[in-house]
Amino acid sequence: MNVGKSIPRVDAFDKATGRTKYTDDLCDSRALVVKLVHSTIAHGLVKAIDISEAEKVEGVVKIVTCFDVPKYYFPTAGHPWSTDPHHQDVADRLLLTDRVRFYGEEVAAVIAENDIAAAQAVRKVKVDYEEYPLVLDVQEAMEERAPQLHENYPNNILGHSNLRIGNYQEAIKEPGLIKFDNWYDTPTVQHCHIENHICYAYEENGRINIVSSTQIPHIVRRVVGQALGISWGKVRVVKPYIGGGFGNKQDALYEPLCAYLSTQVGGRLVKIDVTREETFTNNRVRHAIRSHIITWVRPDGTIVARKLEAFSNQGAYASHGHGIAAKGMGAFPQLYPCPNVEADAYTVFTNRTVAGAMRGYGIPQAMFPVESQIDDIARQIGAHPLEYRLKHLMPVGYVDSFSKNENYFDSFRQCIEKGKAAIDYDRKYEEYKDQTGNIRRGIGCAVFWYNTAVWPISLETSSCRMVLNQDGSVQLQLGETEIGQGADTVFAQMAADILGFSMDKINVISCQDTDVTPFGTGAYASRQTYVGGFAVRQTAELLKTKILEYAHELTRMPVFNLEIADNNIVRTTDGRILMSVGDLACEALYSLTHSQHITAEGTYQIKTNAYSFGCCFAEVEVDIKYCKVKVLDIVNVHDCGQLINPDLAEAQVHGGMSMGIGYALSEQLLYDPKSGRALNDNLLDYKLPTTMDHPDLAAQFVENYEPTSAFGTKALGEPPVCPVAPAIRNAILNATGVPLYKIPMTPHVLFERFTEEGLI
């Protein structure tokens, strides 16, 4: 096979099959297959690798081991890079490693002509290890005698942030205060997107081309350059129309290795297509965070002082690292402002699967302890849980000193009132008090806080290109990626609104190609309609101006008396249609007097952020004897600014609520304490909720136009998952009177607590 015949080219998206079509399907039919050799220990050193028997397998092209790859350390996190070293991620990964830090880590790669040959060869590779002690618990990893994973991070602490407001130590000396002191645990979970990660790579004309299922093509381009020690311009990344990622694909997962392996076989096309088991253990997971919260209140419930310690289990490598724990800590003093606060967040390396970004980015882990304890406080002092929240939640006019975010509206009250009515909260709350018997019902609520996008922590920029076609339609390109969430539809709506075009005239190019697509950092942080909206608006206004300026030449009407409406050039003085945009576009391209290709391109860097707020109400039925929980009814209410597309917004909320139900009741990735091996790394043993476990999922909205936004929008993609687990927990509390301190709230957890409280 020669290199020229192995080059895939993106042709089009096939709506019938739901796949991007490649010339001659070369990616599938002619790609060399890569299978990875995974470590069988969680911590240690590779002493030697014997590939002699594996190389004899027919169909094996090449075997690359950890001793063969270049020693360029690179980061994997899908964060915007910055020329400021303080805003660059930790570079701690190699393409393959001889220093093993988690069970299943990649130590070698087999390149073969087909799957069977590759799999047979993998089984014949023999690895000799020097095994070290392992540590899986986040706080045990911080102890002086714990195994050390990385030389530059004493006590395995990747990051530590602290926050001090007022004087906590003096404040707690006030006589008569009531102390609430609780520890909370949230689990390691996996994203479980249907489409596993897959990537192809090949060389052409001295450049590396990568086709990948990624949320962040422009960031992957940079990471591949860093990992291979080559100029970033020598890397091209194509992101076809792909499935969801939920943050897992906000990392450079296998693209650097895939690119390097292609260079080792003469630039031939190679493919890495991971299994579901590899997705669980070798991609990314949500950080398990252990939180310790102490709250001091007066007998009337006034919050006097609060203390937080959060311990985030990072797993073996930095990935997104300390950002998750830091964001959760940042929410702590803002959601319920308090005059005296001490907060410390630690992110700690352990010999577990690497933790990275996942929907909510630290806020689901933060909302569970915060909203659980708020219910407990209200219950003990005899206050109504909703009235207590409304009394102490972030007030209108609150401004965060760091992000400069301002709470412009009484969103919490609006959302809570709407949710109460939707689920008939007041009646059920009173009805479910002081129940007895085996089957009990309860109703609970939790609120959440969320930032939109990543400014001022990281760069926020978006670029957009629009091209006017001969028929008056527009091609729209952005670096912000469509991964099933409907971003392209919303961008088309935005462009159509500004241009005065109908939706069918806006053709969004869903496939990003770093050679031609304007720069954008991708899909994450619920940023796309907010940040991308600025770029779309700016570019659409620029394109519109160019169209009207050309219309002036054809109609002799001054530009200030022209407008575009329903795809036509209209004179504003009398509403007369002068010509269609299609006729103008055709004339502009083919005119013998003034030929002009009308295009517009712009970059918009934002230096603002926006609060998203909302709540979840849940009604449950608890079987005391069997320690089982069934969700009977659930509703989320969100203030995400102005809705651009209500149907897509509702779909986003439903998806987040489903993930929240799994987080609350069933999902957790378990590890063997002796070997560090994941015990349930498949969709049979890892208990995802199904439609059988869901009630009807209800979504409602409060639309307060966000004044910092190009279209009045703000975050919605991630917020729906944030309040669900504590709402279900508080509903169980209402039903049984038993507070729970860890999720998922499985029968094992309920049995332990019900036994302690004397219910069984």
Side-chain angles (χ1 to χ4, degrees):
M1 181 193 302
N2 64 51
V3 175
K5 289 185 178 179
S6 66
I7 299 170
R9 177 167 60 84
V10 177
D11 278 350
F13 177 65
D14 187 337
K15 293 182 179 179
T17 63
R19 295 183 60 192
T20 301
K21 296 187 293 184
Y22 297 93
T23 302
D24 297 329
D25 283 330
L26 287 171
C27 281
D28 291 324
S29 63
R30 298 186 181 180
L32 295 176
V33 174
V34 175
K35 293 292 183 183
L36 301 167
V37 178
H38 300 286
S39 68
T40 54
I41 63 170
H43 198 199
L45 190 67
V46 177
K47 302 295 289 182
I49 299 180
D50 183 356
I51 61 173
S52 57
E53 292 300 314
E55 287 181 313
K56 297 176 184 177
V57 174
E58 183 179 355
V60 169
V61 176
K62 189 178 182 67
I63 299 176
V64 177
T65 76
C66 55
F67 303 114
D68 303 321
V69 298
K71 299 296 183 181
Y72 296 114
Y73 285 91
F74 61 93
T76 65
H79 288 151
W81 191 79
S82 172
T83 52
D84 179 357
H86 298 291
H87 285 267
Q88 296 175 10
D89 291 297
V90 176
D92 63 353
R93 298 303 296 270
L94 292 171
L95 298 172
L96 299 167
T97 184
D98 63 339
R99 177 68 162 83
V100 172
R101 294 180 174 90
F102 68 95
Y103 192 102
E105 186 164 10
E106 301 91 349
V107 298
V110 174
I111 309 170
E113 297 286 355
N114 55 68
D115 286 303
I116 295 174
Q120 289 177 341
V122 164
R123 289 194 292 269
K124 292 180 179 293
V125 174
K126 298 177 182 178
V127 185
D128 181 24
Y129 298 101
E130 179 182 326
E131 193 165 0
Y132 302 156
L134 60 87
V135 60
L136 302 176
D137 183 84
V138 63
Q139 286 177 279
E140 290 177 5
M142 297 172 68
E143 295 175 1
E144 289 296 331
R145 296 185 179 181
Q148 185 75 24
L149 272 73
H150 296 271
E151 294 179 0
N152 297 330
Y153 297 95
N155 302 106
N156 293 310
I157 299 173
L158 169 62
H160 171 219
S161 298
N162 64 76
L163 184 149
R164 300 292 184 266
I165 300 172
N167 192 325
Y168 174 87
Q169 297 300 330
E170 283 298 315
I172 65 176
K173 294 178 182 178
E174 178 182 324
L177 296 180
I178 304 171
K179 181 182 181 182
F180 293 84
D181 187 338
N182 305 106
W183 285 84
Y184 302 88
D185 272 289
T186 62
T188 296
V189 298
Q190 220 279 325
H191 310 69
C192 295
H193 40 74
I194 299 302
E195 177 198 67
N196 292 333
H197 180 71
I198 182 172
C199 57
Y200 299 85
Y202 63 94
E203 283 190 286
E204 179 185 22
N205 298 327
R207 300 176 75 231
I208 295 175
N209 296 263
I210 301 163
V211 181
S212 177
S213 174
T214 180
Q215 300 175 216
I216 48 167
H218 280 282
I219 292 176
V220 166
R221 181 189 207 184
R222 181 255 303 169
V223 174
V224 170
Q226 292 172 316
L228 274 60
I230 61 175
S231 171
W232 303 353
K234 289 186 176 294
V235 180
R236 173 193 177 204
V237 177
V238 175
K239 187 236 74 167
Y241 200 93
I242 68 168
F246 305 117
N248 186 43
K249 297 174 185 177
Q250 198 203 335
D251 250 82
L253 297 172
Y254 287 107
E255 295 92 347
L257 177 60
C258 194
Y260 175 76
L261 294 178
S262 176
T263 69
Q264 300 305 293
V265 289
R268 292 177 65 180
L269 179 67
V270 299
K271 174 181 72 171
I272 297 180
D273 185 2
V274 299
T275 64
R276 179 61 64 178
E277 289 78 7
E278 288 173 309
T279 301
F280 269 100
T281 59
N282 296 86
N283 284 192
R284 302 293 178 264
V285 294
R286 172 174 279 157
H287 293 74
I289 298 183
R290 182 173 298 147
S291 301
H292 181 207
I293 300 181
I294 302 174
T295 301
W296 299 81
V297 304
R298 298 190 179 107
D300 66 355
T302 302
I303 300 174
V304 174
R306 305 191 83 191
K307 183 174 184 177
L308 166 71
E309 292 177 294
F311 304 92
S312 179
N313 196 321
Q314 178 55 46
Y317 292 97
S319 183
H320 283 250
H322 190 55
I324 284 83
K327 182 167 185 175
M329 185 191 74
F332 182 69
Q334 296 184 59
L335 189 60
Y336 295 94
C338 172
N340 304 287
V341 175
E342 284 188 3
D344 290 88
Y346 300 89
T347 299
V348 184
F349 289 117
T350 67
N351 296 113
R352 289 168 61 160
T353 308
V354 180
M358 187 172 174
R359 194 176 196 171
Y361 211 79
I363 302 304
Q365 298 98 310
M367 292 302 97
F368 177 72
V370 169
E371 283 298 276
S372 295
Q373 193 180 68
I374 287 295
D375 243 51
D376 294 348
I377 293 171
R379 187 179 185 87
Q380 182 162 328
I381 67 172
H384 190 285
L386 300 190
E387 293 173 359
Y388 186 77
R389 281 179 170 82
L390 290 171
K391 184 177 180 180
H392 296 283
L393 278 164
M394 180 194 295
V396 176
Y398 178 91
V399 178
D400 177 53
S401 59
F402 175 67
S403 68
K404 310 305 180 186
N405 278 4
E406 181 173 346
N407 182 7
Y408 297 104
F409 308 101
D410 197 6
S411 298
F412 281 121
R413 184 176 299 276
Q414 293 168 336
C415 290
I416 287 174
E417 290 298 328
K418 202 162 193 176
K420 277 174 56 177
I423 206 166
D424 195 13
Y425 177 90
D426 289 335
R427 179 185 65 82
K428 292 176 180 177
Y429 179 76
E430 293 301 322
E431 181 180 330
Y432 296 156
K433 280 184 176 179
D434 306 317
Q435 294 175 80
T436 58
N438 183 54
I439 305 297
R440 305 183 190 181
R441 291 190 173 187
I443 193 162
C445 174
V447 302
F448 74 88
W449 161 106
Y450 202 82
N451 269 336
T452 305
V454 298
W455 180 265
I457 296 171
S458 295
L459 170 72
E460 271 299 4
T461 185
S462 178
S463 300
C464 178
R465 179 185 300 124
M466 295 185 188
V467 177
L468 185 65
N469 299 317
Q470 290 93 329
D471 62 351
S473 64
V474 166
Q475 294 164 216
L476 170 61
Q477 282 185 297
L478 292 104
E480 278 56 60
T481 55
E482 171 65 61
I483 56 171
Q485 78 280 48
D488 285 353
T489 302
V490 170
F491 290 142
Q493 289 180 262
M494 291 175 171
D497 183 63
I498 298 299
L499 289 169
F501 288 12
S502 57
M503 273 282 287
D504 63 300
K505 293 294 186 180
I506 309 296
N507 304 312
V508 182
I509 301 176
S510 291
C511 299
Q512 278 73 32
D513 180 337
T514 56
D515 272 8
V516 295
T517 304
F519 182 82
T521 51
Y524 58 87
S526 300
R527 63 181 291 276
Q528 288 184 259
T529 55
Y530 186 78
V531 181
F534 284 95
V536 171
R537 184 170 201 128
Q538 173 183 260
T539 307
E541 288 175 345
L542 181 59
L543 182 69
K544 183 177 182 178
T545 298
K546 290 184 175 182
I547 293 171
L548 294 179
E549 287 174 347
Y550 199 90
H552 164 66
E553 296 183 28
L554 300 180
T555 66
R556 299 187 305 133
M557 294 295 115
V559 171
F560 52 76
N561 282 342
L562 295 176
E563 185 56 83
I564 303 175
D566 298 324
N567 310 315
N568 293 308
I569 307 298
V570 177
R571 187 165 59 199
T572 59
T573 55
D574 58 1
R576 179 179 175 182
I577 296 175
L578 303 179
M579 65 187 310
S580 71
V581 175
D583 289 342
L584 178 146
C586 191
E587 176 66 22
L589 280 171
Y590 301 112
S591 172
L592 294 175
T593 56
H594 179 196
S595 176
Q596 180 183 351
H597 189 200
I598 300 176
T599 69
E601 185 165 345
T603 298
Y604 203 108
Q605 180 182 1
I606 69 159
K607 296 184 179 180
T608 56
N609 206 306
Y611 282 129
S612 274
F613 301 121
C615 62
C616 176
F617 285 84
E619 181 183 6
V620 302
E621 183 174 88
V622 184
D623 186 320
I624 304 295
K625 180 178 179 181
Y626 290 105
C627 302
K628 294 179 64 176
V629 176
K630 181 180 181 181
V631 180
L632 301 176
D633 197 4
I634 191 165
V635 58
N636 269 31
V637 187
H638 292 265
D639 177 7
C640 57
Q642 177 174 280
L643 294 178
I644 303 296
N645 189 310
D647 289 341
L648 286 176
E650 186 175 7
Q652 283 279 25
V653 176
H654 287 172
M657 293 170 75
S658 177
M659 293 183 80
I661 290 171
Y663 194 49
L665 296 177
S666 60
E667 292 185 49
Q668 57 182 328
L669 190 54
L670 301 171
Y671 295 88
D672 182 341
K674 294 182 179 179
S675 68
R677 179 178 178 271
L679 297 173
N680 57 336
D681 55 351
N682 58 80
L683 293 180
L684 176 64
D685 299 315
Y686 182 89
K687 300 304 179 183
L688 275 177
T690 70
T691 55
M692 300 293 290
D693 306 299
H694 288 6
D696 289 336
L697 303 173
Q700 297 199 15
F701 300 94
V702 170
E703 293 190 66
N704 290 315
Y705 191 99
E706 172 56 40
T708 67
S709 172
F711 290 90
T713 65
K714 52 187 179 180
L716 181 63
E718 293 170 275
V721 74
C722 299
V724 175
I728 293 173
R729 181 267 189 192
N730 291 337
I732 296 171
L733 174 65
N734 177 237
T736 66
V738 176
L740 302 172
Y741 302 106
K742 64 192 298 185
I743 52 175
M745 294 171 286
T746 62
H748 300 82
V749 172
L750 267 63
F751 178 80
E752 181 180 349
R753 288 293 293 126
F754 288 173
T755 301
E756 291 172 352
E757 296 293 332
L759 287 187
I760 54 177

